[in-house]
Amino acid sequence: IQEDELMDKDSNYLLDESILPKLFSGKGDNNFTAKELVERIGYIHNVNNDRRISFIHDTKDSNTGFPIYHEEFPEIKNYAIGTPIKAIGCFIGDRFYTNDYEVIDIDELPFQVMRLSGTLNIHSTFAIIKTAIGDVYTSLNLIQKYAPNTVHQVKCVAIEAYDKKRQENGWKAIWVE
């Protein structure tokens, strides 16, 4: 599922949100067999308190992933963006419904996520955070509260990302404070 589909109020995915999470959460009664349950590993990319979900990205290069509903797992909203998660659940069609989850060690992710600090440099269409391990690309929507042409010391969560323009691996911020 694409993250923007889930955030759209008109999405069919959300029509049954009051019923489906209860059917497929670890807190409800279900009849799944072990072979129907699947495991998905990712990191918390977005906590949306208005929609009452935390969205988990399961790849490093796209917006695909799955939601974990706050109604069924209220403690999930307290974890920081970038927290690695292993979810157990099932697919109904192309939708994944979480039965249970756990916070895992960052080494279990199939890609790297790091918490870093550095100096923010804002350009006209993007920004770079200079860190001890190198430059971290940052989209402007993550740093709107920072004034341009000013040096800012920031903390960020960065995920490994492939730079197509340079044709090399690098880092992309997913959260900046």
Side-chain angles (χ1 to χ4, degrees):
I1 183 171
Q2 292 288 324
E3 182 174 7
D4 57 348
E5 285 179 50
L6 189 61
M7 301 305 167
D8 180 5
K9 290 182 180 177
D10 297 327
S11 172
N12 291 334
Y13 190 85
L14 296 176
L15 292 178
D16 294 329
E17 74 178 0
S18 64
I19 298 169
L20 291 176
K22 292 176 186 168
L23 293 175
F24 302 109
S25 74
K27 299 179 180 175
D29 184 25
N30 61 52
N31 295 317
F32 299 128
T33 63
K35 67 181 177 181
E36 294 171 319
L37 293 175
V38 295
E39 181 179 283
R40 292 182 77 182
I41 295 175
Y43 65 94
I44 297 176
H45 180 267
N46 182 347
V47 177
N48 187 323
N49 288 315
D50 293 336
R51 305 294 288 170
R52 299 178 320 276
I53 63 166
S54 292
F55 197 82
I56 313 302
H57 272 201
D58 56 1
T59 64
K60 65 179 182 175
D61 295 321
S62 73
N63 288 333
T64 62
F66 56 94
I68 295 181
Y69 291 88
H70 297 171
E71 180 180 325
E72 294 300 312
F73 302 101
E75 69 284 353
I76 190 86
K77 65 184 170 191
N78 299 321
Y79 292 111
I81 290 173
T83 301
I85 298 289
K86 180 190 324 182
I88 307 292
C90 68
F91 282 94
I92 297 183
D94 64 347
R95 309 291 188 204
F96 180 79
Y97 295 94
T98 303
N99 188 16
D100 201 4
Y101 80 93
E102 66 179 307
V103 174
I104 58 173
D105 189 85
I106 204 157
D107 293 334
E108 293 185 57
L109 288 171
F111 44 84
Q112 290 187 347
V113 175
M114 295 185 76
R115 295 185 188 280
L116 302 166
S117 60
T119 304
L120 174 65
N121 297 315
I122 303 173
H123 303 275
S124 60
T125 58
F126 67 97
I128 297 289
I129 301 171
K130 302 281 187 185
T131 72
I133 65 165
D135 293 349
V136 176
Y137 166 82
T138 306
S139 68
L140 293 179
N141 67 343
L142 290 177
I143 53 146
Q144 293 174 356
K145 68 180 181 180
Y146 296 100
N149 303 320
T150 305
V151 174
H152 302 278
Q153 295 300 315
V154 297
K155 294 180 181 178
C156 72
V157 174
I159 186 169
E160 70 174 319
Y162 185 73
D163 185 336
K164 294 176 187 173
K165 189 174 183 180
R166 293 182 180 166
Q167 295 187 343
E168 63 185 21
N169 288 323
W171 294 93
K172 173 179 77 171
I174 59 172
W175 175 83
V176 178
E177 178 182 87

